[in-house]
Amino acid sequence: DVQLQASGGGLVQAGGSLRLSCAASGFTDSDYDIGWFRQAPGKEREGVSSIRRSDRHTLYADSVKGRFTISTNNAKNTVYLEMNSLEPEDTAIYYCASRILYSSNDYYTLRPMRWDYWGQGTLVTVSS
């Protein structure tokens, strides 16, 4: 079974940085995406960023473009989310998730309902 373990959350002041890690395991030979999502209190879960294993194509939500960077170390089966210029609005529980693809040409999406496996969350709190 696919397992995902997110880590790296914490408390940071506005303008600061954090790096989240997602350790992934249990994949077969199929291509897949790894993504980061977040859910703030009282809000719906939203997609933040994703990366495809095969071609490392990345996707970002408009709200984080230019501030967050997703990357992967395929040898370690780990995906990172580097978060810079953090704002109080970035406060949320961050989840990593995976999406098994039918082919490497499958569409790209940050819609949570399209994702198959979810890890536990890691809390990011940005103080003003």
Side-chain angles (χ1 to χ4, degrees):
D1 290 347
V2 173
Q3 294 188 344
L4 302 159
Q5 181 77 30
S7 61
L11 173 64
V12 63
Q13 288 188 335
S17 300
L18 277 176
R19 188 177 81 157
L20 304 182
S21 299
C22 176
S25 63
F27 292 101
T28 62
D29 292 335
S30 298
D31 199 3
Y32 56 88
D33 292 344
I34 297 286
W36 286 98
F37 298 77
R38 66 186 182 186
Q39 189 165 17
K43 294 188 177 181
E44 293 186 353
R45 190 170 298 188
E46 63 174 354
V48 175
S49 183
S50 70
I51 189 166
R52 182 154 295 180
R53 182 185 185 279
S54 58
D55 62 5
R56 302 196 181 191
H57 179 91
T58 59
L59 201 61
Y60 292 96
D62 288 343
S63 59
V64 306
K65 281 181 182 176
R67 300 189 298 124
F68 291 10
T69 303
I70 192 169
S71 62
T72 182
N73 183 329
N74 284 345
K76 294 184 178 180
N77 287 333
T78 301
V79 172
Y80 305 98
L81 185 68
E82 186 74 36
M83 306 186 294
N84 298 315
S85 302
L86 283 163
E87 304 166 353
E89 293 74 22
D90 295 315
T91 295
I93 299 174
Y94 283 70
Y95 301 87
C96 62
S98 67
R99 177 171 170 259
I100 306 301
L101 307 176
Y102 289 104
S103 78
S104 295
N105 295 320
D106 208 341
Y107 63 93
Y108 301 95
T109 181
L110 286 175
R111 295 180 65 188
M113 64 180 298
R114 299 296 183 189
W115 291 70
D116 305 308
Y117 299 95
W118 294 83
Q120 92 297 347
T122 185
L123 177 62
V124 172
T125 304
V126 184
S127 63
S128 57

